[in-house]
Amino acid sequence: MLKLIVRSVNQFVNSQTIGGVLLAVAAVLALILSNSPLQPLYDALLNTPGEVRIGGDWLVLSKPTLVWVNDLWMAVFFFLVGLEIKRELLQGELASRAQALLPAGAALGGMVVPALIYAAINAGNPVALQGWGIPMATDIAFALGILVLLGSRVPTSLKIFLTAVAIIDDLGAILVIAFFYTADLSLAMLLAAGGGALVLLVLNRSRVTSVGPYVIVGLIIWVCVLKSGIHATLAGVITALAVPISDGKGGSPLGRAEHALHPWVAYGILPVFAFANAGVSLSGITLSTLTQTVPLGIAAGLVVGKTVGVFGASWLLIRFGGAQLPYQSTWLQFLGVCVLCGVGFTMSLFIGSLAFAGADPALGVQVKIGVLMGSLISAVLAVLLLLSQSSRAQPD
């Protein structure tokens, strides 16, 4: 089982490199199409309706392409996130208090400070304040992909640290979505989803090691959660947490599911999400547009808030809490990785789509501008810091 887990982790790290490149390509392609004569075609593609109908009118799900991507495809992404969180908590970097202390504290600081900065900039505007959760998240594919591309210039311990921080970040984002970004709730559908969760628990306690039954029940939970008012992607997390990590025979159902899903998520789902959500027309955008409170709050939260929150909390834990700087890393390298946590592309765009759902479409454009601006600045600054440390380490 240990070999399978190690292989899954290696697969995860390797997939982030190519996945991060594909994310960037998809985002750039969406921007190009949104600012070309093909914009009507791009918009029409995102608004193409798709329908699932079961038993006549008994169950009808009719959504445009963009909603299917954000609600169904991203549920698969969150299923993978749930698997990663469970593995890290039981067998990975978060399995013991000593291991979890530094990344957990860093992630907490990296969620609280960006939210506070965004809220301070948008104080007095109750609509804009709904986006306080946007700059809280780190995009693990982009961020880890950049570290891997830098190769041996960055110690392995920092890549592990970033992975742990991003996974805890995802857990925080899941809780924020569940408690703060939900629509009107349907008690009947919530109870039905709760019944599905009990079935998952029974499957787990009955030592069912095939992933198939969990996925089938998870699909039913997804429909119930979709109809309940809570965002449907949370069904993926609920399902993942029920998948057993060991089959008692040296194998890992959770590890096998992770291994199988990583390529589909990294090379398919996340690039498609980026393509569907990163398109924004730059026509008419001026300096005053960039300095509006929503994009400014997001960018400042990602660039300044993430750096101050992650680095500041880590420094306090290392100085006073008994934590240690990641092995073979310097403070400058560590600062570079903390800055890199400000790359919040995928999850930030996703939370932004929830925060301003049904609001003025201009706010959606401002979210995309702020996320793209903040993530790009964070990535460039982090790379410059890490390359600067690398050049200092070279012999004269």
Side-chain angles (χ1 to χ4, degrees):
M1 184 174 69
L2 180 60
K3 290 183 178 179
L4 178 61
I5 292 172
V6 171
R7 188 164 65 247
S8 296
V9 172
N10 289 334
Q11 171 75 16
F12 170 76
V13 172
N14 292 333
S15 70
Q16 300 315 306
T17 308
I18 302 175
V21 172
L22 289 176
L23 267 177
V25 170
V28 170
L29 181 58
L31 283 170
I32 292 173
L33 291 177
S34 298
N35 293 276
S36 74
L38 295 177
Q39 181 185 7
L41 182 62
Y42 174 77
D43 292 338
L45 175 62
L46 297 184
N47 290 299
T48 300
E51 184 176 287
V52 174
R53 186 182 295 269
I54 299 175
D57 293 331
W58 180 72
L59 177 63
V60 179
L61 297 176
S62 181
K63 309 285 183 183
T65 300
L66 179 61
V67 176
W68 281 113
V69 170
N70 288 351
D71 282 10
L72 179 58
W73 285 45
M74 288 300 283
V76 180
F77 165 70
F78 274 85
F79 177 69
L80 180 60
V81 168
L83 294 174
E84 292 166 354
I85 289 172
K86 183 171 182 177
R87 173 176 52 77
E88 288 293 324
L89 287 172
L90 295 180
Q91 297 181 332
E93 286 298 305
L94 309 178
S96 70
R97 181 184 179 278
Q99 289 175 303
L101 180 62
L102 184 61
L108 181 61
M111 289 185 281
V112 172
V113 177
L116 290 176
I117 288 177
Y118 179 94
I121 292 175
N122 287 275
N125 187 338
V127 176
L129 274 174
Q130 296 175 17
W132 60 269
I134 298 172
M136 291 175 61
T138 295
D139 189 306
I140 192 169
F142 263 146
L144 190 56
I146 291 171
L147 280 193
V148 173
L149 287 174
L150 289 173
S152 59
R153 298 181 184 88
V154 181
T156 301
S157 61
L158 285 179
K159 298 171 186 174
I160 295 172
F161 169 78
L162 177 63
T163 301
V165 169
I167 288 174
I168 299 171
D169 243 335
D170 286 342
L171 177 59
I174 289 166
L175 296 175
V176 167
I177 292 169
F179 289 106
F180 299 102
Y181 293 120
T182 59
D184 295 331
L185 299 181
S186 166
L187 181 59
M189 287 294 101
L190 278 177
L191 290 174
L198 287 177
V199 173
L200 289 176
L201 180 61
V202 170
L203 290 174
N204 182 280
R205 294 300 184 185
S206 301
R207 303 187 183 280
V208 175
T209 56
S210 173
V211 178
Y214 295 93
V215 172
I216 293 171
V217 176
L219 284 172
I220 297 172
I221 294 175
W222 178 83
V223 174
C224 295
V225 174
L226 180 69
K227 296 287 188 178
S228 74
I230 296 177
H231 201 272
T233 50
L234 298 178
V237 180
I238 295 170
T239 305
L241 295 178
V243 176
I245 196 166
S246 172
D247 60 9
K249 302 176 182 178
S252 173
L254 185 148
R256 290 194 296 269
E258 267 195 282
H259 183 75
L261 271 181
H262 269 306
W264 292 98
V265 171
Y267 309 149
I269 289 175
L270 290 183
V272 169
F273 173 84
F275 178 77
N277 288 272
V280 54
S281 174
L282 302 178
S283 176
I285 291 180
T286 63
L287 181 60
S288 62
T289 306
L290 300 178
T291 55
Q292 288 178 309
T293 58
V294 169
L296 184 61
I298 294 171
L302 290 173
V303 178
V304 179
K306 275 292 185 181
T307 301
V308 172
V310 175
F311 186 83
S314 298
W315 184 86
L316 289 173
L317 286 170
I318 292 171
R319 180 70 176 81
F320 302 107
Q324 293 184 336
L325 195 67
Y327 181 64
Q328 290 187 332
S329 65
T330 67
W331 278 107
L332 187 58
Q333 287 174 319
F334 188 72
L335 175 62
V337 169
C338 293
V339 174
L340 192 58
C341 289
V343 178
F345 186 77
T346 302
M347 195 67 81
S348 293
L349 286 175
F350 183 66
I351 294 177
S353 70
L354 302 180
F356 298 121
D360 186 348
L363 288 173
V365 173
Q366 292 176 31
V367 167
K368 294 177 182 179
I369 292 171
V371 171
L372 292 172
M373 183 167 56
S375 297
L376 181 60
I377 293 173
S378 295
V380 171
L381 290 177
V383 169
L384 290 176
L385 283 170
L386 291 168
L387 289 179
S388 172
Q389 173 63 50
S390 176
S391 64
R392 291 184 184 188
Q394 297 298 320
D396 295 332

